[in-house]
Amino acid sequence: MFSPRSLDDDLAAVRDRYAPGSPVLDVDSDFETLPPAAAEDLGLFVDALDPASYPADWLPAEVPDLLQKHAGPAFTVGLPGDGTVVRTTQTDPAAVLVKRRAEGTPEDFLAFLVAERLVQISCEPAPGAVGGGDAANCGESLGLPESFLPFFGERYRDLDAAIRRPDPETGESTTGFGPTDVFQVANALFDAWVGLHTRDAFASWEAEHPRLFDAWVDAGERLSGRLGGLSGEVARGETDFPSATEYACSAVKHDLDLPAPYGALDTTAYRERGAAYAVAWAEKTFAALVDDEE
């Protein structure tokens, strides 16, 4: 299921600096969520396993089944939308997993994706930024959470309320957005917040790790062309708002200029306040969307 991945010199140097001892493993499947039996095999490559589970009351009444399982007691790794390379904090040390689909990814860009996850392992959030508190990292208060659920913690219910505005009697959405939309927006907001922590490292690599720096710049340039017209796409109904949010938030780690209303996510305030800020942004933004449609 897993095998150690050979790292080029620049990636090995990144690991030594940002995540010493963390294994980088090839996975022989294209998983969205690793099932318990497979996840437990990670124990062969790390010092210890520390499976996470999260309080049931973090979740609203309606959530995608995969998120329900992610929060439960079974040892699983990964969620839809995590990408080709994922990071888990449920091992000691943290591990980086490269999915089989990476075989079709350009070599330099794949190297950047691995480097990105290694940098994430070294980052520490500001006090109070993570809604899940100590539970976000399996009882450890340091480090970025593995996914958006421990990032939001109990505030995930507030995010759901901001996006879906469920009817108090029926629980049905009054905005047209459903649990999958909440999932998508939550993942995007988490991606943006993580990007605020990592992009300074990427920007510093021009001389030290030019291949990785160039891949970071190139990926940003590929995103930048569409960013300026994103709000127009939403207004014309060409792109739904959760997908636009996902696209805009993916640009934060590349330090690109974001269109309204996403510019408020590219701020020191968001980096420092984290989940509470994200929910406040969603409350304001989705209220404005509803008002525009009325």
Side-chain angles (χ1 to χ4, degrees), residues 19-282:
S22 287
V24 179
L25 304 173
D26 286 326
V27 186
D28 66 7
S29 67
D30 279 333
F31 64 92
E32 288 187 327
T33 299
L34 277 178
E40 289 170 359
D41 286 346
L42 287 170
L44 299 172
F45 302 93
V46 295
D47 296 335
L49 300 176
D50 193 4
S53 62
Y54 306 112
D57 60 8
W58 281 6
L59 299 178
E62 296 186 26
V63 296
D65 289 342
L66 277 173
L67 185 57
Q68 191 81 51
K69 293 177 181 177
H70 180 70
F75 181 22
T76 62
V77 175
L79 283 170
D82 281 350
T84 300
V85 182
V86 301
R87 160 185 65 91
T88 181
T89 62
Q90 298 180 79
T91 60
D92 182 16
V96 174
L97 310 179
V98 182
K99 300 178 184 179
R100 187 171 59 188
R101 74 181 70 162
E103 294 172 358
T105 304
E107 182 178 349
D108 289 352
F109 181 59
L110 179 58
F112 167 72
L113 294 179
V114 173
E116 177 187 17
R117 296 303 189 185
L118 291 169
V119 171
Q120 289 173 4
I121 291 172
S122 73
C123 297
E124 296 182 9
V130 176
D134 287 353
N137 276 323
C138 314
E140 297 294 333
S141 59
L142 299 179
L144 302 183
E146 180 170 323
S147 73
F148 68 79
L149 181 58
F151 169 63
F152 282 101
E154 63 185 4
R155 294 184 186 276
Y156 190 75
R157 297 176 66 94
D158 299 329
L159 184 72
D160 178 83
I163 296 173
R164 294 178 59 242
R165 294 190 172 188
D167 183 281
E169 295 184 359
T170 67
E172 296 295 322
S173 172
T174 63
T175 62
F177 295 110
T180 301
D181 297 313
V182 180
F183 181 107
Q184 185 176 10
V185 171
N187 201 35
L189 292 172
F190 177 62
D191 185 38
W193 181 74
V194 172
L196 291 171
H197 290 78
T198 57
R199 65 187 186 187
D200 286 348
F202 308 150
S204 73
W205 288 349
E206 184 171 10
E208 187 177 8
H209 305 305
R211 177 178 72 129
L212 302 176
F213 176 83
D214 289 346
W216 172 66
V217 171
D218 180 67
E221 290 175 346
R222 293 174 185 272
L223 288 171
S224 62
R226 186 182 168 198
L227 275 177
L230 201 57
S231 298
E233 289 182 20
V234 173
R236 294 188 298 271
E238 298 170 359
T239 302
D240 62 73
F241 194 79
S243 295
T245 302
E246 184 176 63
Y247 192 90
C249 287
S250 70
V252 171
K253 66 186 172 192
H254 297 286
D255 202 12
L256 302 177
D257 293 332
L258 305 185
Y262 304 108
L265 299 172
D266 188 7
T267 59
T268 300
Y270 185 29
R271 173 172 173 157
E272 293 181 351
R273 293 179 54 201
Y277 186 100
V279 170
W281 177 87

